[in-house]
Amino acid sequence: MKILYLWFSLLISCNLFAQGHKLHGTVLDENKEALPYASVSLLQPSDSTLAFYGISNTDGFFEIRTISSGNYILQIAYLGKQTLYRTIEIPGLSEQLGVLELKASTVSLKAAQIEAERIPILIKQDTIEYSAASFKTKPDASTEDLLKKLPGLEVDRAGNIKAQGEDVKNVLVDGKEFFSSDPKVATKNLPADAISKVQVYDKKSEEAELSGIQDGERNKTINLLLKEDKKSAWLGDVKAGAGSEMHYQAAAKAYRFTKKSQIALLGMVNDINQFGFSFRDYIDFNGGMRNMMNGDGGMRVTFEDDNSFPINFGQPITGLITSGAGGANYTYEKKTGRRFNISYLGNGSDKKLVEETRTDNFTPDTTFTNFANLKERSNNNGHTLNFSWRNSIDSTQNFIGNGNIGLSEGSTNSASVIQNYAAQNITSNTLLNNYEKVNTLTGKLTTIYLKKRKAKWLLLKLLAEANGSHNLSGKEWQSQFQNYNYVNLFQEAQEQHKTVDRLNYSGTLSATRELPRRWYFVPELKAGAKQEQLMRKQSNSQDKELAIDSLSANFNANYNWMRPGISFKRSNDTKQFKASIQLEAATLKTAMSDNGRTQASFFYFLPGLAWEKEYKPERRLRAFYESFVNSPTANQLLPLSETVNPTQRYSGNRKLKPEYVHHAQVNWIVFDQFSFTSAFAALGGTITSNKINWSRNVDSSFNQVLSLRNVPEDYRLYFNFDFSTPLRAIGMNVNINPQESWNKGMTYVNEIINNNQTFTHELNVRLDNRKKEKWDISLGTNLSYTQAFHSLESKRTDYYSLNYFTELNYSATERLHLSASADITQYHSQTLSQNITVPILKAEVSYFILKAKRGVISLEAFDLLNKNTGISRISEMNYVQQKNANCIGRYFLLSFKYRLTKFENKDEVDVKVNGR
């Protein structure tokens, strides 16, 4: 708290001593008509970078506040009008500008962009366009660094982007895909000095773009336009570094962009816990699906329905990881509308993990505690090939194909000590050694054909999807189990080999018919199947050829469905409405060697409703309701026990029914282009019938047998509010983000119902300075508070974490740049453990050398106090749990980075000032 108070006081005091001034006027055209959304900029005379900014309102009036004293170039720009320039002095007589008239341009900006003229921000209908050269960045800055400086855009500490209050879903480069669908691949890797303009807009659905019928579906998209001179040669850089404790890193990037093609190559290797390019890497480097398991072996199945992307992965990565990643991207567009893209992403890791887990379990009769100590060495390698083909056959037909092929392999060698305690007395002790190897091949293909017609049936859509996987796994384990109640010692050594093949496919046929008064009728037919085959062989290590019949099987599960439906919708530029009804008829069949076949039929009524209204420009209300079905997987249906951990064995259930889910949400979205204030609010919830959850049976020695079963209902509510606005009086931006979630679920413990309720309260507050030429400062706090109630013990558990952070970047000179950060996280709990405080301090100094600043030497210090640790806490079903894991500690790293290509500075603009 003292760090935050110090920074906050410093920033306020600095800005209070600065004299603020106002500038206002009215922008009209040659016919004396108001020009709304005209860009009004104050530029620095030395380099024409943006100093202050405003936008005219619907009456043509603008006002810019808290302007520092000095000389500026006033620039007023509007699409299709001649740009006005004027020199002004602040303070001075020119602060009251009166009426400013823009004349019609002799060259339409729609047809040609005047390259000699730099307009920092220009509004083109539904697109906001930023000139990258108007915002200063350091010579080796990434696109992410550039986006942080653009008004109306926010980039959090993990690199997730918000534009106009909404999450950015796509980042394109010259209108084309770049690697994967993860926006951070582009923003973290492309150099800022290659970007000419940044465009922000709402991308409509493929159907809406072809037919012109608005459907309310849109994704906030950023399009990065490259400089022409950067397209004629290879761009990129190479980096290498070494430091204390034998730490090292190396990376290389290379790009080439032409009018028809894009080529990008990326590569990196390090042992400082920095992973590759995508969310998949985060999963892989954290142990893959192992982290979806609770500490004593039970699969977690209660996932948050509102855990939508993006997610902040700013927390430390557990374990010590040596990792490498590489990628290649190629896009070719022979003519507009006919584009092919293929990309490859690969990664590998070697991870050493030491983890301690404490789990407090509640039963109808007592409470017991489980302690698990794990030492693990894992290796993972993954390869993904993505491809897409977009073909605008003509003005009435589109074909889109997307797909990917993935190959992953991994191995894990672990040793565990697991102990159960009751009232401070040990009841059992287990030693477990486990070796596992997994190989998986996946594939996915989606094709869409759209046909626009001039008749009453306006649009025809054909959609076909298929995805499948082939998974091979094998594991060997030795366990020694000591039961202190009966003074028994059990030992076993077994191995298991499992093959799982999955194939999902579906098809959709729909048509859109025009009705009177802009109503549309859309009948559709969907059908598909999910087919899974699971073969498992388990045997004793002494006789590997002889299968244990009760633990081995050939199991098949097929879910076949057909879903006819109709929908009615009405659409215009500001309002969309859609009501739909679908009927799903399905059969679930299972077959198991020596155990017969089962078949169950299901029928579901699936209504849907969606409404959206833009009641003012950039002010929207949305509401939707949807219902859908989640069918159980073969692993959930398989009625065989998993016996790796003798203290906790679990199995599936052939009698499981599909989950029937109802989800509703209301959104309010506001973005004020005049003040750059944005607000996003979401209130929603789900009701799940036949929720698939665990039933636990605990014996007198606290050994557990878990099986899956349907529970009647599961309830979830959530609320999220995100508010951002500039505080001009102190020269800062503020972002406030409170979140609330509530879950009421049900499990069975020894056949007695356990009702669990969880309340989670979260508050994020962040401040950062608005002018970032020399200083870039941010500070904030995050509070996460959880209240968990379990009916078995009538017990409530509270725990929370409180994080303070501050980040500082300072450009001392054109060549010298400094940065530092402090993260202080406090973990508090009533029952789990003592309170813990983890302070993480980092610092870096960079100095640019060579001609055109092509080289940079950096000295980085991580975790100066050597206090880094990995802590996580959860509460669900009938337990609360805390994990403590090893993390990378203090290190110092000296690095050198070299830009491959030299570019002269062509961003300077000679501005002809109109002194009218």
Side-chain angles (χ1 to χ4, degrees):
M1 180 65 77
K2 291 181 180 179
I3 293 177
L4 291 179
Y5 179 79
L6 177 63
W7 278 118
F8 192 64
S9 301
L10 176 63
L11 291 168
I12 290 179
S13 60
C14 290
N15 283 279
L16 287 179
F17 283 106
Q19 184 70 33
H21 303 276
K22 293 182 181 180
L23 185 72
H24 57 77
T26 302
V27 185
L28 305 178
D29 65 11
E30 63 269 26
N31 299 318
K32 311 302 180 184
E33 298 288 336
L35 292 177
Y37 304 111
S39 298
V40 184
S41 306
L42 292 182
L43 309 179
Q44 299 284 4
S46 59
D47 56 9
S48 299
T49 56
L50 182 67
F52 298 93
Y53 178 73
I55 299 178
S56 64
N57 63 16
T58 53
D59 298 322
F61 177 79
F62 69 88
E63 182 178 68
I64 304 175
R65 301 179 182 179
T66 61
I67 304 173
S68 303
S69 300
N71 295 318
Y72 300 95
I73 298 174
L74 171 69
Q75 178 197 70
I76 303 179
Y78 190 85
L79 195 65
K81 303 294 181 182
Q82 293 182 24
T83 302
L84 182 146
Y85 291 97
R86 178 179 295 182
T87 56
I88 64 171
E89 182 179 356
I90 301 293
L93 299 177
S94 58
E95 292 179 41
Q96 316 298 326
L97 296 176
V99 174
L100 299 154
E101 182 180 307
L102 299 187
K103 295 182 179 181
S105 176
T106 55
V107 179
S108 173
L109 289 178
K110 291 182 180 179
Q113 195 70 37
I114 303 174
E115 293 299 333
E117 190 171 54
R118 179 193 298 167
I119 300 174
I121 305 174
L122 187 63
I123 298 177
K124 298 181 174 182
Q125 297 176 346
D126 59 350
T127 299
I128 299 178
E129 184 175 273
Y130 302 86
S131 173
S134 298
F135 304 88
K136 281 187 176 180
T137 57
K138 62 181 182 178
D140 69 335
S142 67
T143 298
E144 179 179 291
D145 299 322
L146 170 64
L147 297 182
K148 290 179 180 179
K149 298 178 180 292
L150 305 186
L153 271 67
E154 301 171 34
V155 183
D156 70 16
R157 305 180 73 199
N160 303 311
I161 310 165
K162 283 184 181 291
Q164 302 163 25
E166 298 182 69
D167 295 328
V168 172
K169 303 295 185 182
N170 304 303
V171 172
L172 307 176
V173 179
D174 280 341
K176 304 176 181 67
E177 297 82 2
F178 187 81
F179 276 100
S180 66
S181 59
D182 185 351
K184 294 187 288 294
V185 178
T187 59
K188 287 183 176 293
N189 290 285
L190 281 176
D193 65 359
I195 307 301
S196 170
K197 299 184 185 302
V198 177
Q199 297 177 332
V200 180
Y201 61 95
D202 287 323
K203 190 178 186 304
K204 302 174 184 177
S205 68
E206 300 290 345
E207 294 95 315
E209 289 185 352
L210 180 65
S211 67
I213 303 172
Q214 302 295 330
D215 55 11
E217 295 185 17
R218 56 173 67 88
N219 287 318
K220 190 64 69 177
T221 298
I222 288 178
N223 184 31
L224 305 173
L225 297 179
L226 300 170
K227 297 176 181 177
E228 288 300 322
D229 64 313
K230 297 295 192 287
K231 299 179 181 181
S232 58
W234 283 92
L235 311 175
D237 56 63
V238 293
K239 181 178 182 179
S244 61
E245 306 296 327
M246 302 299 291
H247 286 302
Y248 65 89
Q249 67 170 343
K253 307 170 187 175
Y255 318 91
R256 190 171 188 270
F257 303 95
T258 69
K259 290 183 178 180
K260 292 185 178 181
S261 65
Q262 293 183 358
I263 301 174
L265 303 171
L266 306 174
M268 52 84 73
V269 62
N270 67 77
D271 68 346
I272 54 175
N273 286 24
Q274 293 183 1
F275 47 94
F277 314 118
S278 68
F279 170 70
R280 181 73 254 170
D281 300 329
Y282 179 86
I283 295 289
D284 291 341
F285 290 166
N286 275 281
M289 288 303 294
R290 193 194 67 79
N291 266 10
M292 299 295 186
M293 311 283 286
N294 62 31
D296 44 8
M299 175 67 76
R300 294 175 57 197
V301 294
T302 53
F303 299 100
E304 291 290 342
D305 293 325
D306 55 327
N307 255 356
S308 56
F309 292 104
I311 301 173
N312 190 337
F313 290 118
Q315 63 267 31
I317 305 300
T318 57
L320 303 178
I321 304 170
T322 299
S323 60
N329 181 79
Y330 177 72
T331 300
Y332 181 72
E333 188 172 35
K334 185 175 183 179
K335 58 182 292 187
T336 302
R338 297 187 179 181
R339 183 166 70 250
F340 173 74
N341 171 261
I342 186 169
S343 66
Y344 163 80
L345 287 172
N347 63 62
S349 69
D350 181 8
K351 178 176 180 178
K352 300 174 183 178
L353 177 68
V354 179
E355 186 176 76
E356 297 178 354
T357 304
R358 170 178 171 168
T359 308
D360 292 334
N361 299 268
F362 313 112
T363 72
D365 305 315
T366 187
T367 299
F368 69 97
T369 302
N370 172 277
F371 292 97
N373 294 301
L374 170 71
K375 289 186 178 181
E376 180 180 273
R377 179 77 176 267
S378 61
N379 291 276
N380 292 282
N381 296 286
H383 311 270
T384 302
L385 185 70
N386 298 284
F387 53 88
S388 66
W389 167 246
R390 293 176 175 267
N391 186 9
S392 297
I393 302 171
D394 54 39
S395 61
T396 66
Q397 298 180 87
N398 275 0
F399 174 82
I400 304 164
N402 298 292
N404 63 68
I405 299 172
L407 175 64
S408 63
E409 54 184 0
S411 62
T412 303
N413 203 330
S414 64
S416 303
V417 178
I418 306 168
Q419 296 176 324
N420 286 329
Y421 281 82
Q424 305 300 318
N425 296 316
I426 188 170
T427 62
S428 67
N429 183 76
T430 302
L431 303 178
L432 176 63
N433 292 294
N434 182 36
Y435 174 77
E436 182 174 3
K437 187 172 183 178
V438 180
N439 294 295
T440 303
L441 175 66
T442 62
K444 182 178 181 180
L445 179 64
T446 301
T447 60
I448 304 174
Y449 172 74
L450 301 172
K451 172 65 177 177
K452 179 181 176 182
R453 304 175 74 249
K454 294 183 178 180
K456 287 290 184 181
W457 291 99
L458 296 176
L459 185 68
L460 176 69
K461 177 181 177 180
L462 295 172
L463 169 66
E465 296 180 285
N467 65 80
S469 64
H470 177 67
N471 179 279
L472 296 173
S473 64
K475 52 188 170 184
E476 302 176 12
W477 68 93
Q478 299 85 39
S479 63
Q480 178 178 296
F481 173 64
Q482 175 74 56
N483 188 325
Y484 289 94
N485 289 340
Y486 302 101
V487 198
N488 290 332
L489 179 66
F490 301 94
Q491 292 181 323
E492 71 175 12
Q494 294 188 0
E495 64 177 42
Q496 182 190 102
H497 298 275
K498 184 165 65 174
T499 302
V500 181
D501 291 306
R502 298 184 177 94
L503 177 62
N504 300 336
Y505 55 89
S506 64
T508 302
L509 171 63
S510 68
T512 302
R513 182 176 177 84
E514 185 178 15
L515 300 176
R517 302 180 64 180
R518 305 197 71 169
W519 280 90
Y520 302 93
F521 169 61
V522 183
E524 67 177 9
L525 177 63
K526 299 181 180 180
K530 180 171 71 174
Q531 300 177 349
E532 296 183 87
Q533 182 179 30
L534 189 155
M535 293 182 288
R536 192 171 96 177
K537 178 184 176 183
Q538 191 160 319
S539 59
N540 291 311
S541 298
Q542 293 83 2
D543 192 353
K544 298 182 180 182
E545 299 301 321
L546 182 62
I548 302 174
D549 292 339
S550 60
L551 299 174
S552 306
N554 186 345
F555 184 73
N556 290 275
N558 295 326
Y559 185 80
N560 302 299
W561 54 272
M562 180 174 288
R563 193 183 305 146
I566 59 172
S567 61
F568 291 89
K569 61 183 181 181
R570 192 179 187 188
S571 171
N572 56 40
D573 292 337
T574 61
K575 185 166 61 177
Q576 290 85 41
F577 172 82
K578 179 180 179 180
S580 62
I581 299 174
Q582 295 180 336
L583 302 175
E584 180 167 319
T587 58
L588 176 59
K589 300 178 181 179
T590 68
M592 187 169 173
S593 53
D594 302 325
N595 204 2
R597 299 173 180 270
T598 66
Q599 178 172 327
S601 298
F602 304 96
F603 185 82
Y604 296 98
F605 176 66
L606 303 175
L609 194 66
W611 173 82
E612 177 180 334
K613 183 176 181 179
E614 186 173 17
Y615 58 93
K616 287 184 179 180
E618 297 299 336
R619 287 165 169 80
R620 294 197 296 270
L621 282 172
R622 295 176 181 172
F624 73 86
Y625 158 72
E626 61 180 347
S627 53
F628 53 91
V629 175
N630 291 326
S631 61
T633 66
N635 275 321
Q636 293 174 322
L637 293 165
L638 181 66
L640 299 182
S641 295
E642 277 288 352
T643 61
V644 176
N645 183 350
T647 67
Q648 188 179 80
R649 306 190 177 210
Y650 57 94
S651 65
N653 181 359
R654 285 181 84 177
K655 297 181 180 180
L656 288 177
K657 299 177 181 179
E659 296 178 338
Y660 183 28
V661 183
H662 304 268
H663 178 214
Q665 182 172 297
V666 179
N667 294 339
W668 177 56
I669 303 166
V670 172
F671 177 66
D672 187 342
Q673 293 174 328
F674 308 108
S675 65
F676 290 105
T677 296
S678 66
F680 174 83
L683 174 65
T686 62
I687 300 175
T688 305
S689 300
N690 288 324
K691 176 73 175 179
I692 298 175
N693 218 328
W694 290 110
S695 173
R696 293 185 173 213
N697 285 290
V698 184
D699 64 20
S700 58
S701 300
F702 308 117
N703 301 316
Q704 302 182 59
V705 177
L706 295 88
S707 61
L708 288 168
R709 68 188 295 174
N710 293 107
V711 299
E713 288 176 332
D714 182 273
Y715 301 94
R716 297 176 187 271
L717 291 174
Y718 58 89
F719 172 74
N720 179 28
F721 182 69
D722 193 291
F723 175 77
S724 298
T725 192
L727 302 176
R728 291 180 172 83
I730 61 173
M732 302 194 75
N733 298 312
V734 61
N735 175 257
I736 302 173
N737 176 216
Q739 301 178 46
E740 297 286 328
S741 65
W742 170 80
N743 171 231
K744 181 180 180 181
M746 177 190 298
T747 58
Y748 289 84
V749 181
N750 292 350
E751 295 303 317
I752 296 177
I753 294 176
N754 174 43
N755 291 304
N756 12 280
Q757 295 190 59
T758 303
F759 291 89
T760 301
H761 320 277
E762 188 169 349
L763 176 63
N764 300 280
V765 179
R766 174 171 172 158
L767 292 166
D768 64 273
N769 62 316
R770 302 186 66 214
K771 296 189 65 176
K772 300 178 183 291
E773 285 81 6
K774 282 280 188 181
W775 294 88
D776 186 351
I777 304 172
S778 65
L779 64 161
T781 185
N782 168 267
L783 171 64
S784 180
Y785 180 53
T786 299
Q787 300 169 290
F789 175 79
H790 304 275
S791 65
L792 283 178
E793 287 280 308
S794 297
K795 184 180 181 66
R796 196 179 101 176
T797 301
D798 292 7
Y799 55 92
Y800 70 91
S801 63
L802 181 61
N803 170 260
Y804 309 102
F805 70 88
T806 181
E807 295 178 346
L808 166 69
N809 294 280
Y810 175 58
S811 298
T813 68
E814 286 291 324
R815 293 183 178 269
L816 179 63
H817 296 264
L818 309 172
S819 65
S821 68
D823 274 271
I824 301 175
T825 306
Q826 299 175 346
Y827 298 90
H828 299 263
S829 174
Q830 293 178 335
T831 59
L832 287 172
S833 70
Q834 72 276 14
N835 297 331
I836 300 171
T837 299
V838 181
I840 305 295
L841 304 181
K842 300 184 233 180
E844 184 175 1
V845 56
S846 300
Y847 189 77
F848 290 86
I849 61 174
L850 305 179
K851 189 176 181 180
K853 306 184 188 76
R854 293 177 68 180
V856 57
I857 299 174
S858 301
L859 177 62
E860 176 187 0
F862 175 81
D863 188 18
L864 288 168
L865 301 180
N866 204 27
K867 296 291 186 179
N868 194 19
T869 186
I871 299 177
S872 64
R873 289 170 174 170
I874 60 171
S875 175
E876 59 185 13
M877 295 186 284
N878 67 318
Y879 66 86
V880 293
Q881 183 181 89
Q882 174 173 300
K883 289 185 179 183
N884 296 69
N886 64 324
C887 291
I888 191 170
R890 177 172 54 207
Y891 67 81
F892 299 89
L893 198 69
L894 182 66
S895 302
F896 175 70
K897 183 162 71 172
Y898 180 76
R899 281 190 292 165
L900 299 179
T901 308
K902 173 185 175 182
F903 287 99
E904 299 297 336
N905 186 1
K906 299 182 180 181
D907 291 331
E908 298 298 331
V909 177
D910 294 327
V911 178
K912 296 181 180 179
V913 179
N914 185 344
R916 290 180 301 165

